[in-house]
């Protein structure tokens, strides 16, 4: 980014960029899928999914009128969002249900910006969201995770050429779409290893709140995320052919 004043930065952030070639869109999707399917890269990148997951809990909690206490992110890529309010009811149900579908929905929002050729805007909106979430983090690892992710996005958006920014933005968006699906399978696998009725996962909490089986909620997460992924593939690839 060559801007030096605040006004120039603001103008450059919200200026449209040229659409990347089709091959870059497809290759970036392949790279994102490889990260989701492999071992060590997934364990590192999964922190981004946790950030989005807990951010979804936090946002819906606030929208439902709950009092947000804070967010903790852990080195095992788990996390917890604490809010105060009624322990049951629609607000609590929506808050708990938001986590597993948020990464995919954030990815869908990214697609809309990319299709409008707002590549730099996508990167800077991501930075602003991470800065907002940083105010809610209540542990050291969480701070490191959010700051590290934000710093990476900032470095790409500020120092690297537009072609690299486009590749990063598309890969990041593809990653959120693909990464929204894998944690749902991990969730069900974890639930199978626990005695019936003792789980503390989002699906088990929803089962206790609604009376619907936890497996049904796992299915709900999976259907939503697969539908968003299919829509993303259509918008980014098939509709352009």
């Amino acid at each position: 980014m060559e801007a030096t004043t605040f006004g120039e930065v603001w103008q450059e952030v919200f200026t449209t960029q040229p659409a990347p070639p089709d091959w870059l869109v497809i290759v970036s999707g392949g790279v994102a899928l490889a990260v989701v399917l492999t071992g060590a890269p997934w364990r590192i990148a999964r922190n981004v999914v946790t950030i989005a997951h807990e951010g979804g809990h936090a946002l819906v909690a606030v929208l439902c009128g709950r009092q947000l206490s804070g967010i903790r992110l852990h080195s095992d890529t788990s996390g917890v969002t604490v809010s105060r309010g009624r322990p049951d009811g629609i607000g609590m149900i929506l808050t708990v249900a938001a986590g597993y579908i948020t990464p995919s929905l954030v990815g869908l929002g990214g697609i809309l910006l990319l299709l409008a050729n707002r590549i730099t805007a996508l990167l800077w909106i991501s930075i602003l969201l991470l800065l907002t979430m940083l105010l809610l983090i209540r542990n050291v690892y969480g701070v490191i995770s959010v700051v590290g992710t934000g710093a990476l996005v900032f470095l790409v958006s500020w120092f690297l050429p537009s072609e690299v920014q486009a590749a990063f933005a598309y890969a990041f968006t593809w990653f959120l779409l693909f990464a929204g699906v894998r944690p749902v399978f991990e969730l069900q696998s974890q639930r199978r290893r626990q005695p019936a009725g003792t789980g503390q996962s989002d699906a088990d909490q929803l089962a206790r709140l609604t009376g619907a089986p936890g497996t049904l909620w796992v299915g709900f997460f999976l259907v939503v995320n697969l539908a968003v992924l299919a829509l993303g593939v259509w918008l980014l690839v098939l509709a352009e052919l």
Side-chain angles (χ1 to χ4, degrees):
M1 185 175 290
E2 299 178 356
T4 56
T5 67
F6 178 80
E8 291 174 339
V9 170
W10 186 261
Q11 182 177 3
E12 190 162 344
V13 166
F14 288 98
T15 298
T16 59
Q17 290 78 40
D22 292 341
W23 68 263
L24 186 146
V25 176
I26 295 172
V27 169
S28 64
V31 171
L33 180 59
V35 170
V36 172
L37 295 178
T38 52
W42 168 246
R43 286 192 292 272
I44 297 172
R46 200 187 190 289
N47 287 284
V48 176
V49 181
T50 305
I51 291 172
H53 180 116
E54 299 304 331
H57 285 314
L59 175 61
V60 175
V62 171
L63 292 177
C64 290
R66 300 181 62 81
Q67 185 176 357
L68 196 60
S69 300
I71 300 171
R72 291 178 176 269
L73 307 174
H74 303 133
S75 59
D76 63 355
T77 70
S78 65
V80 60
T81 298
V82 179
S83 62
R84 293 197 293 270
R86 281 188 57 183
D88 53 16
I90 187 63
M92 187 63 182
I93 292 171
L94 293 175
T95 297
V96 177
Y100 275 95
I101 62 175
T102 295
S104 295
L105 295 178
V106 171
L108 181 59
I111 289 176
L112 299 180
L113 288 171
L114 293 176
L115 293 177
N117 296 323
R118 304 283 182 174
I119 295 170
T120 305
L122 168 62
L123 298 177
W124 277 70
I125 289 172
S126 300
I127 293 170
L128 292 175
L129 291 174
L130 288 166
L131 286 174
T132 301
M133 188 170 180
L134 184 61
L135 300 175
L136 303 171
I137 298 295
R138 297 293 183 264
N139 67 322
V140 173
Y141 184 83
V143 171
I144 294 173
S145 182
V146 173
V147 170
T149 303
L152 175 61
V153 177
F154 173 77
L155 291 173
V156 170
S157 67
W158 192 266
F159 293 106
L160 297 182
S162 58
E163 296 82 1
V164 179
Q165 290 184 30
F168 180 86
Y170 272 88
F172 183 70
T173 302
W174 276 118
F175 172 76
L176 288 173
L177 293 176
F178 290 127
V181 176
R182 178 167 175 172
V184 180
F185 288 101
E186 295 176 344
L187 167 64
Q188 185 60 18
S189 177
Q190 178 190 31
R191 293 182 69 248
R192 287 198 188 101
R193 296 193 297 268
Q194 296 172 336
T198 65
Q200 296 300 316
S201 70
D202 291 357
D204 294 306
Q205 292 183 58
L206 287 166
R208 289 190 285 271
L209 286 167
T210 65
T215 304
L216 182 64
W217 285 104
V218 174
F220 167 75
F221 299 149
L222 184 60
V223 168
V224 170
N225 292 349
L226 286 175
V228 172
L229 174 58
L231 179 59
V233 172
W234 169 258
L235 291 173
L236 289 177
V237 179
L238 299 180
E240 301 297 324
L241 295 179

